[in-house]
């Protein structure tokens, strides 16, 4: 009714996919194969991809969980014929406890659950970053996207598109339009005509910087510094201190960990 593409997600084994894929093909513009419970052995994933490719003539994407070697898994998926990769699935198992009662919060037999949402985002970004450097396939970035800038970050580390689940569960389906509008406003505000203009930007910058990224202290814009002191509080190496309302950076003490860059509210510190 909407005219929008429909990606049908299914799993898990090759036998199950061989049975299910032909049944959903009339409705599917593409398939997404979940490998959430397959584990570190790439064999079942490879078999699942081949079963899907044999059964349908629409693109087949494979969704990877974040606890495996993403580069090796991506390369194996590409060799098996996957048309794209989705990363990353939820992480776990994890545990939640009610501090008032001691009850476990999740509904499984063991009390375990799976981590998704904002807490997953740094891990998911790393997964997409690794995949983008390993394979020449479209990547759908997922994990912790709840606003437009989250989506932009996934594009910058190499995603072709993004997926959103937890934010819509928590906030309702209107979150999709909100995120799309925020992406458009961000692109307009930064002089980019389309999402393609920022795709892979972080990967390209990392390649251009090479080993300097890991070895160099951040750049300090003293003029932009407001003397708030967050950097001094967080620097366990004593490399940065606020003197006369301005930060002073001693590069000889700096370990280049980057924490101060993430703490600065006015972007006076940057790579």
């Amino acid at each position: 009714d909407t005219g929008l593409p429909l990606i049908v997600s299914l799993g898990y084994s090759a036998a199950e996919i061989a049975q299910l894929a032909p049944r959903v093909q009339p409705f599917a513009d593409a398939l997404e194969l979940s490998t959430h419970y397959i584990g570190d052995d790439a064999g079942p994933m490879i078999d699942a991809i081949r079963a899907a490719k044999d059964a349908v003539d629409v693109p087949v994407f494979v969704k990877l969980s974040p606890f495996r070697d993403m580069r090796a898994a991506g390369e194996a998926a590409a060799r098996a014929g996957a048309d794209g990769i989705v990363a990353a699935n939820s992480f776990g198992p994890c545990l939640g406890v009610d501090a008032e009662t001691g009850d476990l919060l999740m509904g499984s037999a063991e009390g375990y659950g799976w981590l998704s949402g904002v807490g997953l985002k740094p891990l998911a970004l790393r997964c997409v970053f690794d995949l983008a450097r390993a394979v020449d396939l479209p990547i759908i970035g997922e994990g912790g996207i709840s606003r437009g800038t989250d989506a932009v970050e996934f594009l910058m580390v190499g995603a072709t598109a993004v997926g959103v689940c937890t934010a819509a569960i928590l906030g309702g389906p209107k979150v999709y339009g909100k995120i799309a509008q925020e992406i458009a406003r961000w692109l307009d505000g930064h002089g980019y005509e389309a999402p393609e203009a920022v795709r892979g930007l972080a990967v390209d910058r990392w390649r251009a910087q090479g080993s300097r990224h890991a070895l160099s202290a951040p750049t300090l814009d003293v003029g932009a510094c407001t003397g708030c002191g967050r950097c001094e509080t967080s620097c366990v190496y004593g490399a940065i201190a606020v003197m006369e309302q301005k930060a002073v950076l001693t590069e000889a003490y700096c370990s280049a960990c980057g924490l101060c860059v993430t703490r600065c509210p006015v972007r006076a510190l940057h790579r």
Side-chain angles (χ1 to χ4, degrees), residues 88-107:
N89 214 328
S90 54
F91 178 80
C94 301
L95 195 68
V97 180
D98 186 337
E100 296 299 321
T101 65
D103 291 336
L104 301 183
L105 297 174
M106 307 302 172

Side-chain angles (χ1 to χ4, degrees), residues 122-146:
L123 180 56
L125 281 170
R126 188 271 299 172
C127 291
V128 174
F129 182 66
D130 285 351
L131 288 165
R133 295 178 296 159
V135 298
D136 186 20
L137 289 175
I139 302 169
I140 301 176
E142 295 182 354
I145 297 172
S146 62

Side-chain angles (χ1 to χ4, degrees), residues 26-236:
F27 318 104
D29 295 282
L31 299 184
E32 176 197 76
L33 308 183
S34 179
T35 62
H36 196 43
Y37 301 106
I38 288 180
D40 291 326
D41 178 9
M45 177 191 71
I46 292 170
D47 292 341
I49 294 169
R50 289 173 175 167
K53 295 292 289 184
D54 288 342
V56 299
D57 57 5
V58 296
V60 173
F61 309 143
V62 59
K63 188 169 187 177
L64 301 181
S65 295
F67 47 78
R68 56 180 13 172
D69 182 333
M70 299 306 288
R71 292 192 186 193
E75 290 167 351
R79 290 194 299 269
D83 298 293
I85 296 175
V86 184
N89 214 328
S90 54
F91 178 80
C94 301
L95 195 68
V97 180
D98 186 337
E100 296 299 321
T101 65
D103 291 336
L104 301 183
L105 297 174
M106 307 302 172
S108 68
E110 300 88 354
Y112 297 158
W114 296 84
L115 176 67
S116 63
V118 294
L120 184 65
K121 180 184 153 190
L123 180 56
L125 281 170
R126 188 271 299 172
C127 291
V128 174
F129 182 66
D130 285 351
L131 288 165
R133 295 178 296 159
V135 298
D136 186 20
L137 289 175
I139 302 169
I140 301 176
E142 295 182 354
I145 297 172
S146 62
R147 55 188 179 179
T149 50
D150 295 330
V152 169
E153 291 173 21
F154 274 88
L155 294 173
M156 285 182 170
V157 295
T160 306
V162 300
V164 176
C165 180
T166 301
I169 292 173
L170 298 178
K174 290 183 179 179
V175 71
Y176 294 107
K178 178 185 82 74
I179 292 173
Q181 292 169 6
E182 290 171 352
I183 294 171
R185 285 197 298 268
W186 188 93
L187 292 171
D188 289 343
H190 290 77
Y192 295 108
E193 294 185 358
E196 289 76 12
V198 299
R199 183 170 297 128
L201 179 62
V203 178
D204 293 340
R205 288 179 63 85
W206 172 83
R207 285 175 173 152
Q209 291 171 346
S211 61
R212 291 177 298 162
H213 182 274
L215 300 176
S216 62
T219 300
L220 171 62
D221 182 352
V222 177
C225 176
T226 61
C228 72
R230 291 187 184 182
C231 56
E232 181 178 11
T233 299
S234 299
C235 183
V236 298

